Amino acid sequence: HRTISCACSTMAEGEEPSVRLGRYVGRKSDHSCPGDHVTWEIVLAEGGQCTIECRSELSPSKGGTQAWHVEGTWEEDDDEVVVSITKEDPLGGPRSDRDVTLQVDDDVLTFKGAKCQWTSPPPDHFLDAMAALSLKELKAKALSFGLDPTGCIEREEFLELMRRGKAAGALKEASPVASQPSPSPTSPSNKVDQASAPTESPHASASPVASQGDAPPDTPEAPQEIPAGCYSLEQLTDKRTWEKLDVVSTERETYLPDGVFQQLFEMPKADFAKLPKWKKENLKKKHGLF
């Protein structure tokens, strides 16, 4: 057996780790009590990033292990890999003051007596971010990357288009910039002209653009507009309203504007998409989006 710890500074720069990157899943029956069947999931990702999470089939109210999710970094030193926890979970799991040591045998990691078998490559953060978008946002993003979304209807079809485009190196990273709204029609030269022009009577022009300091002090600010393809929290939590909208009922949170989503969930959509299903559901229930 080899031993794996979470820390990577001892590896030479550019050296490929001998431990296989990806997702490892294992199960242990009757972990803390009869019926407490626990599933462990460990992800070793590029850049020394690591996550470990725990799920039980038995409710904590009946004695089952509380679900938790921690993040950290991992290092490989000779035949060892050590995981250093950088983000604890108050509900449980390893703490940041102790490193986690894993036993390794080919594509198997042993954690708390459970054999965790390699099951899939590590998550693709680009595709995770794309998966957090609404269908309308996915179509707009595909177009901005120079891809042809013709024929794509379902979410998985858009994501597959993104996968193929990324694999082929066909994504035009500069395209999204070109698709952003153009600057204010008042160019710098116009501002100079306005500044040098004689002062006009307040009634001489109906233009809503006024020079700095000339706007009436009691002019109300324009309400913030909701981007195309997005809806307000009120619309997405009112069943009679959202049933009439063009939204996927189980993914209503993805139709919130990015700023509203960040304020509500205290994280961007891309980070939310990487959470385990149970945690996403709890957060959505909390805000009436489940």
Side-chain angles (χ1 to χ4, degrees):
H1 292 295
R2 291 180 294 157
T3 302
I4 294 193
S5 314
C6 290
C8 295
S9 56
T10 55
M11 291 175 57
E13 184 176 355
E15 181 181 347
E16 292 293 331
S18 61
V19 178
R20 191 177 185 184
L21 301 182
R23 191 186 309 271
Y24 294 78
V25 179
R27 189 172 183 272
K28 186 176 181 181
S29 300
D30 304 323
H31 176 58
S32 63
C33 65
D36 183 25
H37 306 316
V38 170
T39 296
W40 309 104
E41 183 174 301
I42 304 170
V43 176
L44 301 182
E46 294 179 351
Q49 300 302 306
C50 175
T51 62
I52 306 175
E53 70 177 53
C54 165
R55 302 185 298 273
S56 175
E57 296 180 6
L58 186 65
S59 169
S61 63
K62 297 181 180 179
T65 299
Q66 175 68 55
W68 50 261
H69 173 96
V70 298
E71 300 176 6
T73 58
W74 67 276
E75 293 182 346
E76 184 178 6
D77 184 9
D78 294 331
D79 289 337
E80 293 185 344
V81 174
V82 179
V83 179
S84 299
I85 304 302
T86 58
K87 184 177 180 181
E88 301 178 356
D89 189 328
L91 298 178
R95 299 304 170 189
S96 57
D97 58 348
R98 299 182 63 183
D99 289 342
V100 178
T101 301
L102 308 175
Q103 296 293 323
V104 183
D105 184 9
D106 294 331
D107 284 343
V108 176
L109 305 181
T110 302
F111 180 64
K112 292 185 177 296
K115 301 291 185 180
C116 301
Q117 178 71 46
W118 187 95
T119 59
S120 62
D124 187 313
H125 297 301
F126 168 76
L127 291 178
D128 286 344
M130 294 300 100
L133 301 179
S134 67
L135 290 176
K136 288 185 178 180
E137 290 172 328
L138 276 173
K139 182 176 181 180
K141 185 65 70 174
L143 291 171
S144 71
F145 283 145
L147 303 175
D148 182 7
T150 302
C152 294
I153 299 176
E154 302 296 334
R155 174 178 298 275
E156 189 55 40
E157 293 173 335
F158 282 102
L159 294 178
E160 180 59 29
L161 178 66
M162 298 289 190
R163 290 190 193 97
R164 294 199 306 267
K166 182 183 178 184
L171 301 185
K172 301 176 182 178
E173 297 295 343
S175 297
V177 177
S179 64
Q180 293 178 354
S182 59
S184 170
T186 305
S187 64
S189 61
N190 288 340
K191 291 182 180 179
V192 173
D193 292 340
Q194 291 175 2
S196 60
T199 304
E200 295 182 358
S201 168
H203 302 287
S205 173
S207 172
V209 180
S211 60
Q212 186 174 3
D214 291 341
D218 58 345
T219 302
E221 294 184 1
Q224 185 176 3
E225 295 184 0
I226 296 179
C230 295
Y231 301 99
S232 68
L233 178 62
E234 291 74 14
Q235 289 174 300
L236 294 170
T237 53
D238 184 344
K239 185 175 182 181
R240 290 175 298 179
T241 300
W242 63 255
E243 283 184 335
K244 300 176 183 178
L245 302 176
D246 182 20
V247 300
V248 179
S249 61
T250 57
E251 301 177 2
R252 300 198 306 281
E253 73 282 358
T254 64
Y255 296 88
L256 289 168
D258 291 343
V260 176
F261 189 99
Q262 174 77 40
Q263 184 177 8
L264 190 67
F265 292 100
E266 299 181 345
M267 68 183 77
K269 292 180 179 179
D271 290 350
F272 183 85
K274 292 183 283 186
L275 295 177
K277 183 179 178 181
W278 65 267
K279 185 169 288 188
K280 286 191 287 188
E281 290 180 351
N282 286 343
L283 289 173
K284 290 195 290 184
K285 287 177 183 178
K286 179 180 177 181
H287 299 294
L289 289 165
F290 183 72

